[in-house]
């Protein structure tokens, strides 16, 4: 989700809404951090198609949930982001702005869905995720 697009198959099952559906953790050494979480919890990380520096472990039970991802830190200020499932990215992005937050970045993951990285009114990161197997940029 940190990267703009990926080609992969996706479930037709809609994302669970108003709950965390994905967690992203930026890392200076992604392989080392993936090994840490694998050893700690038994999670198995898989690289995402078209995103070689991005690997995710399915830690949930929902068909459309990627779970926990570790990827190369793009800048020193990067912090973990929890993605909350929403029915409409456009509607929730507008609500973020109306309620005093900011939409920093919107993106599409081809054949999976649409997302946005936002901040709440105090500057804390929050992600929005709309599952959409027909998504394309």
């Amino acid at each position: 989700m940190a990267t703009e697009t990926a080609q992969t198959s996706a479930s037709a099952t809609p994302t669970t809404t108003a709950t965390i559906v994905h967690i992203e953790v930026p890392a200076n050494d992604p392989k080392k951090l993936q090994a840490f979480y694998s050893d700690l919890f038994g999670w198995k990380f898989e690289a995402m198609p078209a995103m070689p520096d991005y690997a995710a472990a399915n830690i949930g039970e929902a068909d459309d949930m990627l779970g926990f991802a570790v990827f190369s830190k793009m800048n020193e200020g990067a912090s973990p982001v929890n993605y909350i499932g929403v029915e409409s990215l456009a509607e929730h992005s507008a609500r973020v702005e109306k309620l005093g937050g900011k939409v920093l970045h919107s993106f599409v993951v081809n054949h999976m869905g649409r997302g946005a990285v936002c901040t709440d009114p105090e500057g804390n990161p929050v992600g929005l995720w709309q599952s959409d197997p027909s998504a394309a940029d």
Side-chain angles (χ1 to χ4, degrees):
M1 287 184 200
T3 303
E4 299 300 319
T5 60
Q7 296 278 333
T8 186
S9 62
S11 168
T13 305
T15 297
T16 302
T17 58
T19 189
I20 294 173
V21 296
H22 189 73
I23 302 165
E24 287 185 331
V25 177
N28 290 321
D29 186 342
K31 296 288 185 200
K32 185 175 181 178
L33 199 55
Q34 291 164 21
F36 169 82
Y37 285 107
S38 289
D39 291 346
L40 184 62
F41 297 117
W43 296 345
K44 300 198 182 347
F45 286 86
E46 292 184 34
M48 300 297 292
M51 300 182 340
D53 294 330
Y54 190 98
N58 187 349
I59 62 172
E61 295 182 21
D63 290 340
D64 63 346
M65 185 157 130
L66 288 176
F68 192 93
V70 176
F71 61 97
S72 294
K73 189 179 285 190
M74 295 177 214
N75 61 60
E76 283 308 309
S79 62
V81 176
N82 294 316
Y83 284 84
I84 311 298
V86 297
E87 289 185 30
S88 169
L89 182 65
E91 179 183 311
H92 279 79
S93 292
R95 287 178 68 191
V96 164
E97 298 279 345
K98 181 179 179 183
L99 296 170
K102 293 183 181 175
V103 176
L104 303 177
H105 174 69
S106 295
F107 58 91
V108 172
V109 180
N110 286 337
H111 310 290
M112 293 181 73
R114 305 171 190 289
V117 176
C118 308
T119 58
D120 67 19
E122 294 197 12
N124 299 302
V126 61
L128 303 176
W129 178 252
Q130 176 188 338
S131 182
D132 180 1
S134 68
D137 61 359

